[in-house]
Amino acid sequence: YGIVFELGRFGAISSLGEQAFYAYTDATLKVFQGALLAMLRNRQDLHSILRWWVAALAAGRDMTSLIQRAKVPVFLLDLDGCILEWNENLHSLTGCSQEDVQGRPLLDVVSALCKDGVENALEAALSAGMAEDDLAGGEDSEGVGMLGKASDGVSQLVEISIPIRKNGEATTEMRQLCMTFVPKSNEEGLMGGILGIGQDLSEVAELRMVQERKSALMAMLSHEIRSPLHGMLGLTTALLETPAGKGMSRQLGMVRSCAARLLDLVTNVMDLAQSEKKRLAGKPIERPTCPVDLAEIADEVIVMMNMAVDKRNKPLVKSSVRLTNDLAGKQLPIVPGDSYKLTQLLYNLMTNACKFTDAGSVRISADYKTDQKIVEIGITDTGRGISKQGQKSIFKPFEQEMDSDAGS
């Protein structure tokens, strides 16, 4: 620039040539400067891209390591539903190693009973992943294979069964797993597979099976025991009416009383087994709706108590104890319920009250609360009562308050 300027001052270069030199030189310098800046910026971008790529590779390695070392069942599937990763926990639970299942469709690994649920859950996961890709601007939805059609509203949580392998051979035993399927993104941020994360349900399945067997056993035993108990009641009643049974009326009465109590217990067990069966099947337990007259039940309980005897065949109600029925003549509504169960409940409460009351009274009362639309039934006695320590344990199974010095 300086040389051309000086030559122009001495007339060695024309003014037009000087201006043309300035114009071409400025343009060349600008282009060179732009190219240099672009190279510097591209170098910085390349370094950033390299760092991101290294971070992505490290994240991929961390994900693989996490899958393999996780203490819960984890596997990775491609978009066709084939297994890519199978962690060590699954190996220990099912006996199937990574080499045994890699590349195989998951639907070929699970049992036939759960294939429909697994396929629906995979379709739901694919649908969720493709929806995320659409939101992110991704348009490539090809390559989803047989699972390409997603079902709306299908849960991605499914219970699966995998046959257990022992010594390399398949067995009839099943490993129950509860799995959740979630989409997994690839390096480009698009859906690249499905990640399955779950929990071992084998212990829960065993407990469920034990519970079902227990309910079936209770129902069967209860049903088989009822028939001989009815026979015992019928035979003892018939014997009491014969001349030979008159001399053994006390013993036969005790036999009949024991059989009646055992039959009552068996009936309760059958009802409990039936309710438990419905609960496990997810069916609603029907509430009793028979009309119940509380006053009649109270009268019946009072009559039963006056006839009741203890283990020594002595009257349960002592001569110094008076039974009082406050429900007589009282206006109470007819309520829906189970009259048999209510009679049993009141009888048991009255029995306990009379057992620990040496003198005074045992009173049965009821009150209708109109604001709450409930009937409150109470049994009050003048016995010794239950100690504070005993009150903490009487509602525990097999606990009983045998004696008490507390006032009541």
Side-chain angles (χ1 to χ4, degrees):
Y1 273 91
I3 295 173
V4 171
F5 178 76
E6 291 296 333
L7 292 175
R9 301 289 74 78
F10 293 102
I13 297 177
S14 64
S15 176
L16 181 60
E18 182 179 359
Q19 294 300 324
F21 174 78
Y22 290 153
Y24 284 112
T25 303
D26 286 344
T28 303
L29 287 175
K30 294 294 183 181
V31 172
F32 179 75
Q33 183 181 9
L36 183 61
L37 290 175
M39 291 175 61
L40 293 175
R41 290 176 180 174
N42 288 338
R43 185 173 180 274
Q44 294 176 353
D45 292 341
L46 289 175
H47 277 290
S48 299
I49 293 173
L50 180 60
R51 287 197 300 270
W52 296 339
W53 182 258
V54 172
L57 293 178
R61 289 193 298 269
D62 292 342
M63 175 61 72
T64 302
S65 177
L66 179 63
I67 291 175
Q68 291 298 327
R69 298 182 181 181
K71 299 300 182 182
V72 295
V74 181
F75 54 73
L76 180 63
L77 309 176
D78 61 15
L79 294 178
D80 291 323
C82 297
I83 299 172
L84 299 177
E85 297 286 345
W86 186 268
N87 76 340
E88 298 173 1
N89 185 266
L90 275 170
H91 184 190
S92 62
L93 291 175
T94 64
C96 301
S97 64
Q98 169 86 13
E99 292 74 17
D100 295 332
V101 298
Q102 189 169 19
R104 293 179 57 189
L106 179 64
L107 296 177
D108 292 347
V109 176
V110 301
S111 67
L113 296 177
C114 63
K115 283 187 177 181
D116 291 340
V118 172
E119 186 169 2
N120 291 335
L122 290 174
E123 290 175 352
L126 282 170
S127 176
M130 289 187 292
E132 293 178 1
D133 289 350
D134 292 340
L135 291 176
E139 298 180 355
D140 185 14
S141 59
E142 299 180 357
V144 294
M146 64 176 180
L147 303 173
K149 295 182 179 180
S151 301
D152 296 334
V154 179
S155 174
Q156 296 165 227
L157 179 67
V158 64
E159 184 174 332
I160 67 175
S161 303
I162 299 178
I164 298 177
R165 296 175 63 91
K166 294 182 178 179
N167 300 323
E169 299 293 334
T171 66
T172 57
E173 298 181 39
M174 293 289 174
R175 180 67 66 180
Q176 299 291 126
L177 304 174
C178 182
M179 304 298 298
T180 300
F181 296 140
V182 295
K184 181 182 179 298
S185 301
N186 56 19
E187 293 83 359
E188 299 176 357
L190 301 177
M191 183 176 179
I194 300 174
L195 187 65
I197 306 172
Q199 183 67 41
D200 181 18
L201 294 181
S202 298
E203 294 184 1
V204 177
E206 291 177 2
L207 290 175
R208 186 187 304 163
M209 182 175 61
V210 169
Q211 185 67 26
E212 291 176 354
R213 290 181 177 177
K214 184 187 75 172
S215 299
L217 179 63
M218 289 173 59
M220 182 184 67
L221 291 179
S222 301
H223 181 74
E224 295 299 328
I225 292 175
R226 281 168 61 94
S227 297
L229 286 176
H230 281 295
M232 291 173 62
L233 289 171
L235 288 173
T236 53
T237 302
L239 282 173
L240 284 171
E241 297 176 355
T242 62
K246 298 295 183 180
M248 298 183 295
S249 59
R250 178 181 176 184
Q251 291 84 351
L252 290 174
M254 294 177 65
V255 171
R256 185 173 62 178
S257 177
C258 292
R261 286 198 295 267
L262 185 56
L263 179 61
D264 184 60
L265 176 62
V266 170
T267 302
N268 291 337
V269 171
M270 287 188 65
D271 293 342
L272 179 62
Q274 190 68 19
S275 299
E276 187 68 17
K277 182 179 179 181
K278 289 183 178 180
R279 187 186 66 83
L280 292 175
K283 298 180 180 179
I285 299 176
E286 298 179 358
R287 299 182 62 180
T289 57
C290 297
V292 176
D293 190 333
L294 300 177
E296 289 184 2
I297 289 179
D299 287 337
E300 181 181 352
V301 170
I302 294 294
V303 173
M304 293 169 61
M305 289 304 305
N306 287 323
M307 300 175 58
V309 294
D310 59 14
K311 296 179 180 179
R312 295 169 294 181
N313 205 30
K314 293 184 178 181
L316 188 62
V317 181
K318 301 174 180 63
S319 58
S320 57
V321 176
R322 183 180 70 261
L323 301 182
T324 305
N325 180 13
D326 288 346
L327 275 68
K330 198 169 186 177
Q331 295 296 328
L332 294 173
I334 302 296
V335 297
D338 188 333
S339 58
Y340 174 76
K341 293 294 183 184
L342 182 57
T343 303
Q344 180 187 25
L345 175 61
L346 294 179
Y347 180 79
N348 290 339
L349 293 175
M350 291 287 287
T351 301
N352 285 332
C354 293
K355 187 184 299 183
F356 297 103
T357 302
D358 297 326
S361 65
V362 177
R363 184 183 304 273
I364 179 171
S365 60
D367 183 29
Y368 177 56
K369 298 184 179 297
T370 56
D371 55 339
Q372 302 178 28
K373 294 184 179 181
I374 61 173
V375 178
E376 187 178 90
I377 304 175
I379 295 177
T380 310
D381 64 79
T382 58
R384 298 188 302 271
I386 302 175
S387 65
K388 292 184 177 180
Q389 185 65 28
Q391 293 175 16
K392 299 178 181 178
S393 60
I394 57 173
F395 292 105
K396 295 180 181 178
F398 310 110
E399 292 291 337
Q400 187 176 6
E401 178 74 1
M402 300 302 298
D403 196 5
S404 176
D405 296 326
S408 176

